[in-house]
Amino acid sequence: MLSVSDAEAIILNLVQPLDHQRDTEVVDLLTADSRILAVPVTSPLDFPHWDNSAMDGYAVRYEDVQYSSSEKPAVLEIVENIPAGYQPKSTIQPGQAARIFTGAVIPAGADTVVMQEKTRREENRVFILAAPKPQEFIRHKASFYQAGTQLLPAGIKLNAPEIAVLAAAQCPQLSVYRRPRVAIFSTGDELMTVDQPLQPGQIVDSNQYALAALVRQSGAEPLILGIVKDDPVALEKVIAHAVAIADIVVSSGGVSVGDYDYVDKILESLEAKIHIRAVEMRPGKPLTVATFPSRDAINRVSTHSALYFGLPGNPASVLVTFWRFVLPAIKKLSGITEGWEAVFLKARSHDELRSDGKRETYLWGKLHLINGVYEFHKAGGSHSSGNLINLAQTNALAVLPVDKTLISPQQEVQVLKIDS
């Protein structure tokens, strides 16, 4: 049985990111949010496009005002009014100034802006009441970005700041990686869909809905394949179809209670290589990870390896194993260049946390920031892998390592955030 860290290393080593030539598409900027940039972006524009003012005030020659004070102000003639979006007509001569507003173009001859709070105006004259610093409040052309250099690198997620930069750089369309395709199905004769009436012994397949939501939140595309009954022929058919259409396949539950060798035979009959059969964690011990060589339909050559996750059937186990293993795999596959791994932080435990110490144990709850310190509050009720109810409204998993049986209130605990 593998340790959690060893299992994570194996999984991330198996994942091959999408190809920057084959697995891309062009999208409009307005629909590019949360996508992964596939090609570096450059711009023909300098930022700022021209020398401009960072303040409302007066554009002046520094040598005219360097000795100004409230007792002996420099007095300058105002020769032009320059709002934003206006091209100055004048060249500032000795003894002259231009009224200027934030973002407006600096006129020729001027090299400094005096903020209006340090001036007094009388008709067409301005009194400079304090000496500015040389070139103060001037944003110089290309000081933020030089045209022709790399503006944004490939492999980053496009959030609001990046979208704003791309808009300012006049990039109406972008090359992004396609969304990873994740096939999802559940197994079990007892499973029903959410709209079917339940008979004794039957339960709703909540895993399929949870997994679909998690996949969408990760930026990938869920391919819902439904419920597969405990029938080896049906299961083999669905897995073969899933491997053909998806980059990652996620199933929950087994074809028969405890009969993992049976599942292994189906995987092996489809030429799968099984890399993980069990992980030293609670919940989530019976985790299967395998790869399938995908073949080109015409040339019958291997193009990429679909990654299969056989998750346990209990709902808490499904969520925990997804957050811990599947989500990092999707992130790496998506084309992001770094930051795929699960990220942990230190928190103070509000409650007593217990484990038998035999396996790495995950307990769910809420993470709060209190006086600058993260505090973990364990969810009430049972932390059984079959209890789905108290997982609602949680946003973190506290982790008790192997051989750690107790974390007392106010002690430090490692926590995995799961709300983003």
Side-chain angles (χ1 to χ4, degrees):
M1 186 162 51
L2 291 171
S3 69
V4 173
S5 59
D6 285 347
E8 177 187 44
I10 289 172
I11 290 167
L12 289 178
N13 187 56
L14 290 171
V15 177
Q16 296 301 314
L18 295 174
D19 187 90
H20 72 281
Q21 294 180 330
R22 185 179 63 244
D23 297 313
T24 61
E25 59 189 21
V26 176
V27 298
D28 292 336
L29 184 59
L30 282 174
T31 61
D33 55 293
S34 298
R35 302 301 296 270
I36 309 301
L37 189 62
V39 177
V41 174
T42 61
S43 174
L45 300 174
D46 290 315
F47 286 87
H49 307 324
W50 49 75
D51 290 356
N52 70 88
S53 177
M55 281 284 177
D56 290 349
Y58 293 86
V60 302
R61 291 163 18 105
Y62 176 71
E63 60 186 286
D64 287 341
V65 298
Q66 60 182 313
Y67 302 116
S68 296
S69 67
S70 57
E71 291 78 20
K72 192 175 180 180
V75 182
L76 306 174
E77 178 190 6
I78 301 171
V79 296
E80 191 169 15
N81 192 64
I82 307 175
Y86 173 81
Q87 180 61 44
K89 304 292 192 300
S90 303
T91 296
I92 303 303
Q93 305 293 335
Q96 294 181 339
R99 178 72 167 111
I100 197 165
F101 296 88
T102 302
V105 177
I106 300 295
D111 59 14
T112 300
V113 172
V114 180
M115 62 190 300
Q116 65 183 19
E117 289 82 356
K118 294 182 179 180
T119 66
R120 184 180 78 252
R121 180 169 180 170
E122 293 181 3
E123 298 180 345
N124 70 331
R125 297 186 303 166
V126 61
F127 293 75
I128 308 301
L129 305 178
K133 297 177 183 178
Q135 301 187 48
E136 190 168 26
F137 299 125
I138 289 186
R139 296 183 290 219
H140 292 282
K141 178 182 179 181
S143 60
F144 301 162
Y145 168 79
Q146 187 174 2
T149 60
Q150 182 172 280
L151 181 64
L152 292 176
I156 62 169
K157 186 177 182 180
L158 298 175
N159 294 314
E162 292 77 25
I163 296 294
V165 167
L166 292 165
Q170 294 188 313
C171 298
Q173 292 187 317
L174 305 165
S175 179
V176 298
Y177 287 105
R178 65 170 174 81
R179 296 186 188 276
R181 296 184 286 263
V182 181
I184 300 167
F185 65 90
S186 304
T187 65
D189 288 338
E190 77 282 10
L191 299 178
M192 297 289 135
T193 60
V194 70
D195 56 346
Q196 292 178 298
L198 298 180
Q199 303 299 321
Q202 294 178 336
I203 59 173
V204 173
D205 174 26
S206 61
N207 291 341
Q208 185 174 170
Y209 297 93
L211 288 170
L214 290 168
V215 167
R216 289 191 192 95
Q217 290 166 14
S218 75
E221 177 188 357
L223 307 175
I224 311 301
L225 302 184
I227 299 169
V228 183
K229 297 302 181 181
D230 289 338
D231 174 67
V233 175
L235 180 60
E236 181 172 348
K237 182 178 179 181
V238 169
I239 293 178
H241 175 60
V243 170
I245 64 172
D247 304 296
I248 291 177
V249 179
V250 181
S251 68
S252 63
V255 295
S256 179
V257 176
D259 196 356
Y260 300 111
D261 290 339
Y262 180 60
V263 175
D264 291 352
K265 290 178 181 178
I266 292 178
L267 298 177
E268 289 167 355
S269 72
L270 294 169
E271 301 182 11
K273 181 177 180 180
I274 299 175
H275 302 270
I276 298 173
R277 299 174 190 269
V279 181
E280 198 175 34
M281 67 184 294
R282 174 180 285 120
K285 174 184 172 182
L287 174 71
T288 297
V289 177
T291 50
F292 293 82
S294 179
R295 299 188 180 279
D296 185 286
I298 298 175
N299 300 316
R300 303 298 293 170
V301 295
S302 179
T303 55
H304 78 285
S305 179
L307 185 59
Y308 172 81
F309 289 91
L311 307 185
N314 284 317
S317 300
V318 166
L319 291 171
V320 171
T321 50
F322 184 95
W323 286 317
R324 190 65 185 87
F325 299 119
V326 184
L327 181 57
I330 292 174
K331 286 182 177 180
K332 183 177 180 182
L333 176 70
S334 71
I336 295 175
T337 53
E338 60 183 2
W340 332 295
E341 301 90 345
V343 178
F344 296 87
L345 52 84
K346 297 292 185 181
R348 182 176 58 207
S349 181
H350 177 270
D351 308 291
E352 181 178 274
L353 307 178
R354 286 190 172 274
S355 164
D356 63 10
K358 295 179 181 179
R359 286 180 272 160
E360 187 166 298
T361 300
Y362 292 75
L363 301 171
W364 42 95
K366 286 187 178 182
L367 195 62
H368 300 278
L369 189 60
I370 301 174
N371 296 325
V373 177
Y374 281 110
E375 188 170 279
F376 177 78
H377 291 240
K378 178 186 173 185
S382 167
H383 280 245
S384 162
S385 61
N387 184 13
L388 178 62
I389 303 303
N390 66 345
L391 269 162
Q393 301 183 70
T394 58
N395 65 1
L397 298 172
V399 185
L400 278 69
V402 176
D403 296 330
K404 185 73 172 181
T405 60
L406 174 66
I407 292 178
S408 300
Q410 304 307 308
Q411 282 190 327
E412 191 177 73
V413 62
Q414 191 178 47
V415 174
L416 171 63
K417 288 192 70 176
I418 59 175
D419 59 344
S420 61

